[in-house]
Amino acid sequence: MAGPLDIVLLEQSPVEFQLIERELDRGEIPHATHWAKDEDDFGRMLRSGCPEVILTNTSLPREVGAHAVKMAHEVRPDVPIIILSDPAREGDAIEALRHGATDYVLKNRLERLGPVVSRAADEFHARHAHREALRKLSEQEAFYHSLVENIPLNIFRKDLLGRFTFVNQRFADLLGKTVEQTLGRSDYDFFPEEFAFKYRADDQRIIGSGEVFETVEENRKEDGNRAFVHVIKVPLSDAHGKRIGLQGIFWDITKAREDAEAVHQQADLLDRVQDAIIVIGFDGKVTFWNQGAKRLYDWSAKEARGRDLVELLGLDPYEFERARDRVGRKDGWTGEVRQVTKDGSEVIADSHWSIVRDRQGEPQSIIIINSDATEKVRLKNDFLRAQRMEGVGSLASGLAHDLNNVLAPILMSAQMFRSGLEGEEMEEVVQTIENCAERGALMLRQLLAFGRGAEGQREVVQPRLLMEEMAKIMRETFPKDVQVSDSYADDLWTTMGDATQIHQVLLNLMVNARDAMPDGGAIRMSAENAVLNNINEPGFPDAQDGPYVVITVSDTGEGIPHEVREKIFDPFFSTKTRDKGTGLGLSTTMGIVKGHRGFIRMESRPAKGTTFRVFLPAGDAEGTRLILRQDVSADAGHLPDRVLLVDDEPGVLLMLKRILGRSGVEVVTAKNGVEALAELERPDHGVQLIITDIDMPEMNGMELVARLREGTHDTPIVVSTGLNTDEKIRPLLEQMGIREFLVKPYAVNSLLTSMKRAMSPLS
């Protein structure tokens, strides 16, 4: 028994109940007794519980006792009923046996109660288990019969003489016979002799060896075409292990065999193609990988299959999602993709994506064909770089003129300081020096961006914040007769890009708009969301359909003449006089927008003004996280007490030492990384922050940072450079924990802000 024996006892006397309970305890029978004091209690317990033994007493009135036995037999016919009888009423107990009771125990021999109850319970459980086994057996037989008759397989059994002793209906239908017509007959009655002979030889070998036999057999259909079946046969033995025959199953694989051969031929053709052919599911995992892919990436098909393509080829997850989204919407996508091989080498591929659909037209997977374009892109970049360098050469005289115009006021101002200046005159000279330095820095930044081809770091950027900042600067610096207004969509999307470069685009367009209105006017800057289809923009081959952030800058100026509209984006072309610019503004803008896979549209009418619309690919329009690029306030954080300044330019060391000294910061200087390490090896150096240049002799800034991070130094570091931070250098520094970068020349407030941020713990 799994638990205590469940007993229902009909007994009116508490004394009798206690005596019976004591006997059950004495018999060491684990039990739970439910005491029914009258006939109503008794009936309720029978119907609501699951008793395993029923006890009733002949001391009850005869009609009550007889009715109780009848009720118990009707409600619980399988449960044993044991009568407890006074010796004087043994006849009533015997009568109860005729009405369904199982046994009786005389009250003067209650010591028999335990064994009688235990035996009755065992018999009850045995009967119950037997009925349950029969029920399960019946269910299993019905299940297996249904399975054998409905499973899409041909099933048979044979005796030792090769005669069929069982076939399912499917096998009989295949032979064109009824089940009864197949039993007792052999393969020779249904198949050509050559096949029947082979089947019989196989059967004898199986029965003799006792091993499982599995093979693919080739037959001929009535029309003469080949047919293939997959066969499995196993020997049959009786309960004593004596062989009595065999049983088997087989199914038609003709179509599967033909399909497999066709797939094999197709795969062989795909492996002969030079291009990399890859198939991925919509989960991004590789399902097919041809030999061309192995040749290009060095991963074998076995290594690549089942891997995530983004991880395997080092793809940009954002660009991968955009491509997958576009191929899902338009059934195709083409683009240039940067990838890495097994050994980490970079390759550039011309990539063509297409949807593969099933027979119902539902998208099933994506097939990708990649051609190695690494050398082609290198040659193209070399050509463009040569063009840029040729342009820089032709710009030399104009650039020298502009730089001389910038340097002349600075040189003259320095000479004036020697003669002594004060008051308003000193303020004017200082302002002139600052304006000239900023103008020169802007010229160099534009030149560097043009020379690099405007390839920068990508991050999620909210254009509205950059535009608000630009509008504020323009209102403060433009002439008072130029009115600047701005407006933005409330739900403006984000874009993936370089915030500094987008800022440069806005600056170039705003300055051009101002210069187009020498007598004053209005500039309007706005941004909105747009979803574009069927894009065809000459000069912008990477522009793809989809969501865009549209930045508009319009002016009420002179307009652009028809004869020069085709030239405005050419490098060094400008309608301005030499003292107004170099012609790098719009060409730089074009390079930046192309680098962001966007495009530009321009509208202009003479004397009515010009409108530039910059289209930048948007992030996910539904749920892109709003990134607010806000600089830390100059008042946030705290400055260190002692700083190590590393730079090979004496003028920079001198000025920074003076500037930081005025802010209460003690400065220790070093001309290169070797001197910096020597200073830091002193146990009492007390340096809380390091400011280091990148380009220095003996040991440059990159090597210095690497040496410090390899050792025990965790001092915060600010990195500065005289060039715009190279896209290969900055990620390496970020991996070493550098958070703050300064591009020379920089303002004092920018320096102090970077120092405070470097000193602040990561949030």
Side-chain angles (χ1 to χ4, degrees):
M1 292 181 289
L5 190 64
D6 203 340
I7 299 174
V8 172
L9 170 61
L10 176 59
E11 175 58 65
Q12 293 178 334
S13 169
V15 175
E16 294 284 351
F17 174 76
Q18 293 296 331
L19 289 172
I20 294 168
E21 274 288 275
R22 185 179 64 187
E23 286 300 326
L24 291 173
D25 291 339
R26 185 178 297 170
E28 297 182 353
I29 301 174
H31 67 282
T33 304
H34 305 279
W35 183 17
K37 299 178 182 178
D38 54 36
E39 194 173 358
D40 290 340
D41 280 350
F42 186 62
R44 186 173 61 257
M45 290 179 183
L46 291 179
R47 291 179 177 86
S48 62
C50 296
E52 297 167 277
V53 173
I54 299 171
L55 299 178
T56 184
N57 199 338
T58 56
S59 60
L60 300 170
R62 280 188 172 84
E63 63 277 6
V64 173
H67 187 260
V69 171
K70 183 179 179 182
M71 181 194 304
H73 189 62
E74 290 176 351
V75 176
R76 298 290 182 184
D78 294 336
V79 179
I81 305 169
I82 298 173
I83 308 299
L84 301 172
S85 175
D86 291 324
R89 295 183 60 177
E90 187 174 3
D92 292 339
I94 294 172
E95 182 67 19
L97 296 178
R98 295 174 53 198
H99 290 88
T102 304
D103 203 346
Y104 71 91
V105 176
L106 297 177
K107 291 184 178 179
N108 61 349
R109 298 186 61 188
L110 278 180
E111 68 276 5
R112 293 185 61 247
L113 181 60
V116 169
V117 168
S118 180
R119 182 177 64 254
D122 290 344
E123 292 174 354
F124 167 73
H125 289 134
R127 289 194 303 273
H128 180 76
H130 181 66
R131 284 194 301 271
E132 185 66 17
L134 290 176
R135 183 187 65 78
K136 288 183 178 180
L137 180 61
S138 177
E139 288 180 354
Q140 288 177 354
E141 288 180 348
F143 169 76
Y144 287 119
H145 178 76
S146 174
L147 181 66
V148 166
E149 291 302 332
N150 292 287
I151 194 171
L153 299 172
N154 303 282
I155 304 174
F156 62 88
R157 288 181 190 154
K158 298 178 183 178
D159 62 17
L160 295 175
L161 298 177
R163 296 171 299 194
F164 289 105
T165 59
F166 170 83
V167 297
N168 67 346
Q169 188 63 51
R170 187 181 185 90
F171 186 21
D173 293 342
L174 180 67
L175 297 175
K177 307 290 182 181
T178 64
V179 171
E180 290 74 16
Q181 289 173 331
T182 63
L183 299 180
R185 305 178 75 177
S186 71
D187 292 323
Y188 288 94
D189 296 309
F190 304 115
F191 301 106
E193 185 175 355
E194 58 177 313
F195 291 128
F197 180 80
K198 179 182 181 304
Y199 300 157
R200 178 60 178 159
D202 290 341
D203 293 348
Q204 290 176 332
R205 186 170 62 256
I206 294 165
I207 294 172
S209 68
E211 296 178 352
V212 176
F213 176 77
E214 183 172 3
T215 187
V216 172
E217 295 177 346
E218 180 180 349
N219 297 321
R220 292 284 175 181
K221 297 181 181 178
E222 293 181 358
D223 58 7
N225 291 324
R226 293 188 308 170
F228 296 92
V229 294
H230 194 121
V231 182
I232 301 175
K233 298 178 183 179
V234 296
L236 275 179
S237 302
D238 61 15
H240 304 288
K242 182 181 179 181
R243 298 280 160 71
I244 59 174
L246 61 79
Q247 64 181 3
I249 60 173
F250 66 91
W251 61 96
D252 193 321
I253 60 168
T254 305
K255 187 177 185 308
R257 181 78 169 246
E258 292 172 349
D259 290 346
E261 289 179 357
V263 169
H264 178 75
Q265 292 173 358
Q266 293 168 359
D268 184 60
L269 289 174
L270 292 177
D271 278 337
R272 296 175 184 271
V273 175
Q274 290 300 310
D275 290 341
I277 300 178
I278 304 167
V279 179
I280 61 172
F282 281 91
D283 59 357
K285 296 193 183 316
V286 175
T287 60
F288 177 80
W289 185 271
N290 78 333
Q291 285 296 312
K294 182 183 185 304
R295 285 189 291 270
L296 181 57
Y297 304 111
D298 201 31
W299 293 103
S300 68
K302 183 178 180 181
E303 292 172 319
R305 201 172 292 122
R307 292 277 300 275
D308 184 274
L309 190 67
V310 171
E311 174 192 332
L312 187 68
L313 300 185
L315 302 179
D316 183 323
Y318 175 79
E319 294 298 333
F320 176 80
E321 290 299 331
R322 284 175 62 86
R324 185 164 56 178
D325 177 64
R326 287 172 182 164
V327 77
R329 287 188 284 109
K330 299 192 68 176
D331 280 7
W333 176 83
T334 299
E336 196 174 272
V337 182
R338 293 183 179 273
Q339 304 164 333
V340 294
T341 64
K342 185 176 182 179
D343 64 2
S345 303
E346 184 180 75
V347 295
I348 301 173
D350 282 333
S351 194
H352 304 269
W353 295 30
S354 300
I355 286 286
V356 178
R357 298 182 179 274
D358 59 20
R359 294 179 180 177
Q360 288 72 42
E362 294 298 321
Q364 188 177 38
S365 54
I366 299 172
I367 183 169
I368 302 171
I369 302 176
N370 289 338
S371 303
D372 189 355
T374 308
E375 185 65 15
K376 182 184 74 173
V377 171
R378 186 188 67 79
L379 292 173
K380 182 181 73 173
N381 289 340
D382 288 347
F383 175 70
L384 293 176
R385 189 175 297 109
Q387 284 186 322
R388 288 195 293 271
M389 292 305 101
E390 181 182 351
V392 170
S394 65
L395 178 67
S397 59
L399 186 61
H401 177 273
D402 285 351
L403 285 175
N404 283 333
N405 285 340
V406 168
L407 294 174
I410 296 175
L411 182 60
M412 290 184 287
S413 298
Q415 293 170 348
M416 289 182 67
F417 271 113
R418 287 199 177 93
S419 63
L421 294 173
E422 59 184 19
E424 185 176 341
E425 189 177 26
M426 176 177 285
E427 179 62 30
E428 289 178 353
V429 172
V430 171
Q431 186 63 49
T432 299
I433 293 174
E434 187 174 358
N435 291 342
C436 289
E438 289 179 353
R439 183 180 170 196
L442 178 59
M443 290 170 56
L444 290 174
R445 274 197 288 269
Q446 287 186 337
L447 185 61
L448 288 170
F450 177 73
R452 281 202 326 272
E455 286 291 337
Q457 294 296 314
R458 296 292 187 261
E459 59 186 342
V460 182
V461 177
Q462 173 50 254
R464 174 170 61 81
L465 296 178
L466 300 179
M467 296 172 71
E468 287 175 345
E469 178 186 356
M470 180 58 64
K472 180 176 181 295
I473 294 172
M474 296 301 102
R475 291 190 186 101
E476 294 174 352
T477 58
F478 279 7
K480 300 303 179 184
D481 57 357
V482 176
Q483 303 298 316
V484 178
S485 62
D486 56 320
S487 62
Y488 319 96
D490 292 336
D491 59 344
L492 189 66
W493 296 333
T494 57
T495 184
M496 285 295 293
D498 185 309
T500 302
Q501 292 182 0
I502 297 174
H503 195 282
Q504 186 69 46
V505 169
L506 297 174
L507 177 63
N508 291 343
L509 294 178
M510 294 290 284
V511 170
N512 279 354
R514 179 203 63 186
D515 293 344
M517 301 183 297
D519 299 323
I523 301 175
R524 184 175 183 275
M525 185 166 52
S526 63
E528 60 185 352
N529 303 323
V531 178
L532 305 183
N533 295 305
N534 302 317
I535 294 176
N536 183 18
E537 293 293 328
F540 295 92
D542 288 337
Q544 300 283 342
D545 293 353
Y548 282 83
V549 176
V550 186
I551 298 173
T552 302
V553 177
S554 59
D555 63 63
T556 58
E558 303 166 343
I560 301 175
H562 284 283
E563 60 271 18
V564 301
R565 290 183 186 177
E566 298 299 323
K567 303 177 182 179
I568 61 173
F569 292 109
D570 291 348
F572 317 116
F573 174 82
S574 178
T575 58
K576 304 174 185 178
T577 60
R578 281 196 169 187
D579 61 337
K580 291 293 185 180
T582 62
L584 282 172
L586 285 179
S587 62
T588 301
T589 298
M590 167 74 85
I592 291 172
V593 173
K594 272 189 174 182
H596 285 70
R597 296 192 177 182
F599 58 94
I600 303 174
R601 289 175 179 169
M602 185 271 293
E603 300 171 7
S604 184
R605 290 186 297 169
K608 295 294 185 180
T610 302
T611 298
F612 284 92
R613 289 187 174 85
V614 178
F615 293 77
L616 297 176
D620 182 3
E622 299 178 2
T624 297
R625 183 166 57 95
L626 186 65
I627 303 298
L628 305 180
R629 290 180 52 83
Q630 295 176 325
D631 289 335
V632 176
S633 166
D635 296 328
H638 66 280
L639 292 173
D641 297 325
R642 187 178 175 90
V643 168
L644 173 59
L645 181 61
V646 190
D647 201 302
D648 63 328
E649 181 58 48
V652 173
L653 292 176
L654 176 62
M655 292 306 299
L656 286 180
K657 190 169 184 177
R658 295 266 176 96
I659 290 169
L660 294 177
R662 288 192 173 192
S663 298
V665 179
E666 183 182 355
V667 177
V668 180
T669 63
K671 295 191 291 295
N672 52 54
V674 175
E675 291 186 8
L677 289 177
E679 177 64 31
L680 292 172
E681 286 175 359
R682 293 173 48 206
D684 58 343
H685 64 77
V687 171
Q688 297 174 325
L689 177 70
I690 301 169
I691 304 173
T692 180
D693 190 24
I694 287 290
D695 298 302
M696 297 180 295
E698 295 191 50
M699 181 185 289
N700 62 33
M702 283 287 294
E703 294 170 329
L704 173 61
V705 173
R707 289 282 296 275
L708 292 175
R709 290 300 183 246
E710 287 173 0
T712 59
H713 291 282
D714 57 357
T715 309
I717 301 174
V718 175
V719 172
S720 69
T721 177
L723 299 173
N724 284 352
T725 306
D726 186 272
E727 62 271 15
K728 295 181 180 178
I729 294 177
R730 182 161 183 161
L732 294 176
L733 290 169
E734 288 176 342
Q735 290 176 10
M736 290 187 280
I738 304 303
R739 295 182 286 152
E740 294 300 320
F741 304 87
L742 289 170
V743 179
K744 298 176 183 176
Y746 45 79
V748 173
N749 284 343
S750 297
L751 170 64
L752 297 178
T753 299
S754 287
M755 292 171 62
K756 292 175 182 178
R757 285 194 295 215
M759 293 293 293
S760 301
L762 285 171
S763 57

